[in-house]
Amino acid sequence: MIIGCILDAVKGGTFNTGFTLYFLPVLNELHLSRAATSLPFSLARLEAALEGPLVGYLIDRFDVRVMLVVGTTLAGLGFVLLSFVHSYVFFVLVFMGPLTMGFQAGFNHATMAAVNHWFRRQRGLAMSIVQTGQAIGGVVIFPLVALAVLNLGWRPAAFLSGLLVLLLLPLVLLVRHSPESMGLLPDGEREIVHPPSAGAVRPDHRLSEAQEFSAREALRMPAFWRLAAFHGLRNIPYSGVSVHLVPLLVWKGLDQPTAAFFVVLTAFSTVIVRPLMGWLGDWRSKQRIGAVGVLLGALGLLVLTYSDGALSHMVLFAILFACGEGINSVTWALVGDFFGRRNFATIRGWIGMLQSIVSIPGAVFTGWIYDQTQSYTYALIPFAISYCAAGLVMWRLPHPERRAPLELPAS
């Protein structure tokens, strides 16, 4: 779990939040519109959609370390290559190719699959702690990236980010796919060598086995499609806002260093919010916590839209927007609760594919709106509506049910 948190911290600081710092320098150097600058981020969503089910299948069938090594190597080399591009076409190819492919395969899917194998009772909290690494990266690593971009330029910043990612390779070799490979059970319990009596079997172990679904079974269930709809609707605002976060805050009257500070504040808020929501989800209801989180995210976007740029309003926006992103781990843990451990990565890959397809236009739409109106208002309002729709879907999410086999009448 600690290694997963470190991996997500590097990814969050250099890629997730870090890339919003590249937006304005790349736009100015390559003489692009905001829609054109946003295009690689939307195309990356398309790539994630296409590779999601395949990557999930490979993680479920092979050692998770294989995908971690491949993904980390590709992501590191992608950053290094990015520092040498001098045309828009090559910027798009590198961003979509090794950079995005590496982070999707080696970080997003692999780490979450490993956590889902290792934890059951506190799965929501465990996933939240791992994914809090992204926010920690936004607090610790993002300011370093900001210093590099603002003082050295975006190319040296990309090169240094690539070296940092490649330094993670020794760590990923320490990850183990499942507790069974080390003679353990989920939640750190010891494997029982001799078959216990029926009364000694833990009821939560029997329940886990009964709730194992194949990807084919999951695809036939309304719960799967509602979860996919939720993640798609939740990801539309995040994909549109996160890429433009620094430009959005500059639009509100902040200068770039101050805007970077509020990106750090948003990440810091997520460090607090994400584990709290993970704990609440395990203690109460993951569905209710997920629904409330995205509704708070919608409120944050409305604060940003209609504020006058006052610092107090920006602080409120940072906290509320962190709530909308902070429930991400809780709702992925719900996938594990619903469908089990054995095929989690494959099922997550299919949900990720549908989520990515829905969110493809987000970043380009946001840039296009600004190019046409010199304002982000008419992008933020639909994003707030999308968050609200996601909350409604999550609130009414049905539980999966396996159809009972038909019983033949006794002869």
mmCIF file with all atom_site columns, all heavy atoms in Angstrom, residues 369-382:
data_model
loop_
_atom_site.group_PDB
_atom_site.id
_atom_site.type_symbol
_atom_site.label_atom_id
_atom_site.label_alt_id
_atom_site.label_comp_id
_atom_site.label_asym_id
_atom_site.label_entity_id
_atom_site.label_seq_id
_atom_site.pdbx_PDB_ins_code
_atom_site.Cartn_x
_atom_site.Cartn_y
_atom_site.Cartn_z
_atom_site.occupancy
_atom_site.B_iso_or_equiv
_atom_site.pdbx_formal_charge
_atom_site.auth_seq_id
_atom_site.auth_comp_id
_atom_site.auth_asym_id
_atom_site.auth_atom_id
_atom_site.pdbx_PDB_model_num
ATOM 1   N N   . ILE A 1 369 ? -14.941 26.466 -25.700 1.00 0.00 ? 369 ILE A N   1
ATOM 2   C CA  . ILE A 1 369 ? -15.829 27.468 -25.111 1.00 0.00 ? 369 ILE A CA  1
ATOM 3   C C   . ILE A 1 369 ? -15.074 28.762 -24.829 1.00 0.00 ? 369 ILE A C   1
ATOM 4   O O   . ILE A 1 369 ? -15.551 29.875 -25.128 1.00 0.00 ? 369 ILE A O   1
ATOM 5   C CB  . ILE A 1 369 ? -16.480 26.935 -23.818 1.00 0.00 ? 369 ILE A CB  1
ATOM 6   C CG1 . ILE A 1 369 ? -17.527 25.868 -24.152 1.00 0.00 ? 369 ILE A CG1 1
ATOM 7   C CG2 . ILE A 1 369 ? -17.096 28.057 -22.998 1.00 0.00 ? 369 ILE A CG2 1
ATOM 8   C CD1 . ILE A 1 369 ? -18.757 26.388 -24.855 1.00 0.00 ? 369 ILE A CD1 1
ATOM 9   N N   . TYR A 1 370 ? -13.867 28.645 -24.284 1.00 0.00 ? 370 TYR A N   1
ATOM 10  C CA  . TYR A 1 370 ? -13.096 29.853 -23.993 1.00 0.00 ? 370 TYR A CA  1
ATOM 11  C C   . TYR A 1 370 ? -12.681 30.560 -25.292 1.00 0.00 ? 370 TYR A C   1
ATOM 12  O O   . TYR A 1 370 ? -12.733 31.791 -25.375 1.00 0.00 ? 370 TYR A O   1
ATOM 13  C CB  . TYR A 1 370 ? -11.862 29.528 -23.174 1.00 0.00 ? 370 TYR A CB  1
ATOM 14  C CG  . TYR A 1 370 ? -11.124 30.775 -22.732 1.00 0.00 ? 370 TYR A CG  1
ATOM 15  C CD1 . TYR A 1 370 ? -11.465 31.412 -21.544 1.00 0.00 ? 370 TYR A CD1 1
ATOM 16  C CD2 . TYR A 1 370 ? -10.120 31.340 -23.521 1.00 0.00 ? 370 TYR A CD2 1
ATOM 17  C CE1 . TYR A 1 370 ? -10.820 32.584 -21.152 1.00 0.00 ? 370 TYR A CE1 1
ATOM 18  C CE2 . TYR A 1 370 ? -9.470  32.506 -23.141 1.00 0.00 ? 370 TYR A CE2 1
ATOM 19  C CZ  . TYR A 1 370 ? -9.828  33.126 -21.956 1.00 0.00 ? 370 TYR A CZ  1
ATOM 20  O OH  . TYR A 1 370 ? -9.190  34.275 -21.583 1.00 0.00 ? 370 TYR A OH  1
ATOM 21  N N   . ASP A 1 371 ? -12.270 29.775 -26.299 1.00 0.00 ? 371 ASP A N   1
ATOM 22  C CA  . ASP A 1 371 ? -11.879 30.394 -27.574 1.00 0.00 ? 371 ASP A CA  1
ATOM 23  C C   . ASP A 1 371 ? -13.027 31.185 -28.189 1.00 0.00 ? 371 ASP A C   1
ATOM 24  O O   . ASP A 1 371 ? -12.818 32.236 -28.813 1.00 0.00 ? 371 ASP A O   1
ATOM 25  C CB  . ASP A 1 371 ? -11.418 29.311 -28.557 1.00 0.00 ? 371 ASP A CB  1
ATOM 26  C CG  . ASP A 1 371 ? -10.089 28.693 -28.168 1.00 0.00 ? 371 ASP A CG  1
ATOM 27  O OD1 . ASP A 1 371 ? -9.307  29.351 -27.453 1.00 0.00 ? 371 ASP A OD1 1
ATOM 28  O OD2 . ASP A 1 371 ? -9.828  27.541 -28.579 1.00 0.00 ? 371 ASP A OD2 1
ATOM 29  N N   . GLN A 1 372 ? -14.256 30.691 -28.008 1.00 0.00 ? 372 GLN A N   1
ATOM 30  C CA  . GLN A 1 372 ? -15.416 31.333 -28.626 1.00 0.00 ? 372 GLN A CA  1
ATOM 31  C C   . GLN A 1 372 ? -15.940 32.513 -27.805 1.00 0.00 ? 372 GLN A C   1
ATOM 32  O O   . GLN A 1 372 ? -16.454 33.481 -28.372 1.00 0.00 ? 372 GLN A O   1
ATOM 33  C CB  . GLN A 1 372 ? -16.549 30.312 -28.812 1.00 0.00 ? 372 GLN A CB  1
ATOM 34  C CG  . GLN A 1 372 ? -16.189 29.142 -29.713 1.00 0.00 ? 372 GLN A CG  1
ATOM 35  C CD  . GLN A 1 372 ? -15.779 29.585 -31.106 1.00 0.00 ? 372 GLN A CD  1
ATOM 36  O OE1 . GLN A 1 372 ? -16.475 30.380 -31.730 1.00 0.00 ? 372 GLN A OE1 1
ATOM 37  N NE2 . GLN A 1 372 ? -14.655 29.075 -31.586 1.00 0.00 ? 372 GLN A NE2 1
ATOM 38  N N   . THR A 1 373 ? -15.850 32.426 -26.472 1.00 0.00 ? 373 THR A N   1
ATOM 39  C CA  . THR A 1 373 ? -16.512 33.414 -25.619 1.00 0.00 ? 373 THR A CA  1
ATOM 40  C C   . THR A 1 373 ? -15.555 34.215 -24.730 1.00 0.00 ? 373 THR A C   1
ATOM 41  O O   . THR A 1 373 ? -15.996 35.161 -24.069 1.00 0.00 ? 373 THR A O   1
ATOM 42  C CB  . THR A 1 373 ? -17.540 32.723 -24.705 1.00 0.00 ? 373 THR A CB  1
ATOM 43  O OG1 . THR A 1 373 ? -16.851 31.843 -23.794 1.00 0.00 ? 373 THR A OG1 1
ATOM 44  C CG2 . THR A 1 373 ? -18.539 31.915 -25.518 1.00 0.00 ? 373 THR A CG2 1
ATOM 45  N N   . GLN A 1 374 ? -14.270 33.814 -24.707 1.00 0.00 ? 374 GLN A N   1
ATOM 46  C CA  . GLN A 1 374 ? -13.301 34.413 -23.779 1.00 0.00 ? 374 GLN A CA  1
ATOM 47  C C   . GLN A 1 374 ? -13.754 34.264 -22.326 1.00 0.00 ? 374 GLN A C   1
ATOM 48  O O   . GLN A 1 374 ? -13.456 35.097 -21.463 1.00 0.00 ? 374 GLN A O   1
ATOM 49  C CB  . GLN A 1 374 ? -13.071 35.885 -24.107 1.00 0.00 ? 374 GLN A CB  1
ATOM 50  C CG  . GLN A 1 374 ? -12.517 36.115 -25.506 1.00 0.00 ? 374 GLN A CG  1
ATOM 51  C CD  . GLN A 1 374 ? -11.184 35.381 -25.719 1.00 0.00 ? 374 GLN A CD  1
ATOM 52  O OE1 . GLN A 1 374 ? -10.216 35.642 -25.018 1.00 0.00 ? 374 GLN A OE1 1
ATOM 53  N NE2 . GLN A 1 374 ? -11.143 34.471 -26.677 1.00 0.00 ? 374 GLN A NE2 1
ATOM 54  N N   . SER A 1 375 ? -14.482 33.182 -22.069 1.00 0.00 ? 375 SER A N   1
ATOM 55  C CA  . SER A 1 375 ? -14.983 32.900 -20.724 1.00 0.00 ? 375 SER A CA  1
ATOM 56  C C   . SER A 1 375 ? -15.153 31.393 -20.574 1.00 0.00 ? 375 SER A C   1
ATOM 57  O O   . SER A 1 375 ? -15.428 30.682 -21.551 1.00 0.00 ? 375 SER A O   1
ATOM 58  C CB  . SER A 1 375 ? -16.325 33.602 -20.488 1.00 0.00 ? 375 SER A CB  1
ATOM 59  O OG  . SER A 1 375 ? -16.929 33.147 -19.296 1.00 0.00 ? 375 SER A OG  1
ATOM 60  N N   . TYR A 1 376 ? -15.025 30.904 -19.354 1.00 0.00 ? 376 TYR A N   1
ATOM 61  C CA  . TYR A 1 376 ? -15.241 29.474 -19.080 1.00 0.00 ? 376 TYR A CA  1
ATOM 62  C C   . TYR A 1 376 ? -16.636 29.188 -18.518 1.00 0.00 ? 376 TYR A C   1
ATOM 63  O O   . TYR A 1 376 ? -16.958 28.042 -18.207 1.00 0.00 ? 376 TYR A O   1
ATOM 64  C CB  . TYR A 1 376 ? -14.206 28.977 -18.065 1.00 0.00 ? 376 TYR A CB  1
ATOM 65  C CG  . TYR A 1 376 ? -12.821 28.755 -18.637 1.00 0.00 ? 376 TYR A CG  1
ATOM 66  C CD1 . TYR A 1 376 ? -11.765 29.604 -18.315 1.00 0.00 ? 376 TYR A CD1 1
ATOM 67  C CD2 . TYR A 1 376 ? -12.553 27.676 -19.473 1.00 0.00 ? 376 TYR A CD2 1
ATOM 68  C CE1 . TYR A 1 376 ? -10.487 29.399 -18.818 1.00 0.00 ? 376 TYR A CE1 1
ATOM 69  C CE2 . TYR A 1 376 ? -11.285 27.460 -19.981 1.00 0.00 ? 376 TYR A CE2 1
ATOM 70  C CZ  . TYR A 1 376 ? -10.258 28.323 -19.651 1.00 0.00 ? 376 TYR A CZ  1
ATOM 71  O OH  . TYR A 1 376 ? -8.992  28.107 -20.162 1.00 0.00 ? 376 TYR A OH  1
ATOM 72  N N   . THR A 1 377 ? -17.462 30.187 -18.399 1.00 0.00 ? 377 THR A N   1
ATOM 73  C CA  . THR A 1 377 ? -18.755 30.034 -17.732 1.00 0.00 ? 377 THR A CA  1
ATOM 74  C C   . THR A 1 377 ? -19.609 28.947 -18.360 1.00 0.00 ? 377 THR A C   1
ATOM 75  O O   . THR A 1 377 ? -20.157 28.076 -17.658 1.00 0.00 ? 377 THR A O   1
ATOM 76  C CB  . THR A 1 377 ? -19.530 31.368 -17.751 1.00 0.00 ? 377 THR A CB  1
ATOM 77  O OG1 . THR A 1 377 ? -18.782 32.353 -17.039 1.00 0.00 ? 377 THR A OG1 1
ATOM 78  C CG2 . THR A 1 377 ? -20.901 31.207 -17.125 1.00 0.00 ? 377 THR A CG2 1
ATOM 79  N N   . TYR A 1 378 ? -19.722 28.961 -19.684 1.00 0.00 ? 378 TYR A N   1
ATOM 80  C CA  . TYR A 1 378 ? -20.628 28.016 -20.345 1.00 0.00 ? 378 TYR A CA  1
ATOM 81  C C   . TYR A 1 378 ? -20.038 26.612 -20.467 1.00 0.00 ? 378 TYR A C   1
ATOM 82  O O   . TYR A 1 378 ? -20.687 25.710 -21.007 1.00 0.00 ? 378 TYR A O   1
ATOM 83  C CB  . TYR A 1 378 ? -21.022 28.557 -21.723 1.00 0.00 ? 378 TYR A CB  1
ATOM 84  C CG  . TYR A 1 378 ? -21.854 29.808 -21.630 1.00 0.00 ? 378 TYR A CG  1
ATOM 85  C CD1 . TYR A 1 378 ? -21.328 31.049 -21.993 1.00 0.00 ? 378 TYR A CD1 1
ATOM 86  C CD2 . TYR A 1 378 ? -23.155 29.756 -21.129 1.00 0.00 ? 378 TYR A CD2 1
ATOM 87  C CE1 . TYR A 1 378 ? -22.087 32.204 -21.879 1.00 0.00 ? 378 TYR A CE1 1
ATOM 88  C CE2 . TYR A 1 378 ? -23.913 30.907 -21.013 1.00 0.00 ? 378 TYR A CE2 1
ATOM 89  C CZ  . TYR A 1 378 ? -23.381 32.122 -21.385 1.00 0.00 ? 378 TYR A CZ  1
ATOM 90  O OH  . TYR A 1 378 ? -24.134 33.270 -21.268 1.00 0.00 ? 378 TYR A OH  1
ATOM 91  N N   . ALA A 1 379 ? -18.852 26.422 -19.950 1.00 0.00 ? 379 ALA A N   1
ATOM 92  C CA  . ALA A 1 379 ? -18.314 25.065 -19.778 1.00 0.00 ? 379 ALA A CA  1
ATOM 93  C C   . ALA A 1 379 ? -18.558 24.581 -18.357 1.00 0.00 ? 379 ALA A C   1
ATOM 94  O O   . ALA A 1 379 ? -18.891 23.409 -18.134 1.00 0.00 ? 379 ALA A O   1
ATOM 95  C CB  . ALA A 1 379 ? -16.820 25.039 -20.098 1.00 0.00 ? 379 ALA A CB  1
ATOM 96  N N   . LEU A 1 380 ? -18.398 25.462 -17.378 1.00 0.00 ? 380 LEU A N   1
ATOM 97  C CA  . LEU A 1 380 ? -18.520 25.059 -15.975 1.00 0.00 ? 380 LEU A CA  1
ATOM 98  C C   . LEU A 1 380 ? -19.952 24.696 -15.598 1.00 0.00 ? 380 LEU A C   1
ATOM 99  O O   . LEU A 1 380 ? -20.172 23.789 -14.778 1.00 0.00 ? 380 LEU A O   1
ATOM 100 C CB  . LEU A 1 380 ? -18.001 26.179 -15.074 1.00 0.00 ? 380 LEU A CB  1
ATOM 101 C CG  . LEU A 1 380 ? -16.494 26.455 -15.161 1.00 0.00 ? 380 LEU A CG  1
ATOM 102 C CD1 . LEU A 1 380 ? -16.131 27.673 -14.327 1.00 0.00 ? 380 LEU A CD1 1
ATOM 103 C CD2 . LEU A 1 380 ? -15.694 25.240 -14.705 1.00 0.00 ? 380 LEU A CD2 1
ATOM 104 N N   . ILE A 1 381 ? -20.928 25.368 -16.166 1.00 0.00 ? 381 ILE A N   1
ATOM 105 C CA  . ILE A 1 381 ? -22.323 25.062 -15.823 1.00 0.00 ? 381 ILE A CA  1
ATOM 106 C C   . ILE A 1 381 ? -22.710 23.640 -16.253 1.00 0.00 ? 381 ILE A C   1
ATOM 107 O O   . ILE A 1 381 ? -23.267 22.878 -15.439 1.00 0.00 ? 381 ILE A O   1
ATOM 108 C CB  . ILE A 1 381 ? -23.273 26.115 -16.427 1.00 0.00 ? 381 ILE A CB  1
ATOM 109 C CG1 . ILE A 1 381 ? -23.056 27.473 -15.743 1.00 0.00 ? 381 ILE A CG1 1
ATOM 110 C CG2 . ILE A 1 381 ? -24.731 25.677 -16.273 1.00 0.00 ? 381 ILE A CG2 1
ATOM 111 C CD1 . ILE A 1 381 ? -23.835 28.613 -16.360 1.00 0.00 ? 381 ILE A CD1 1
ATOM 112 N N   . PRO A 1 382 ? -22.441 23.209 -17.501 1.00 0.00 ? 382 PRO A N   1
ATOM 113 C CA  . PRO A 1 382 ? -22.727 21.807 -17.844 1.00 0.00 ? 382 PRO A CA  1
ATOM 114 C C   . PRO A 1 382 ? -21.946 20.815 -16.981 1.00 0.00 ? 382 PRO A C   1
ATOM 115 O O   . PRO A 1 382 ? -22.456 19.722 -16.682 1.00 0.00 ? 382 PRO A O   1
ATOM 116 C CB  . PRO A 1 382 ? -22.304 21.713 -19.320 1.00 0.00 ? 382 PRO A CB  1
ATOM 117 C CG  . PRO A 1 382 ? -22.373 23.101 -19.827 1.00 0.00 ? 382 PRO A CG  1
ATOM 118 C CD  . PRO A 1 382 ? -21.997 23.969 -18.681 1.00 0.00 ? 382 PRO A CD  1
#
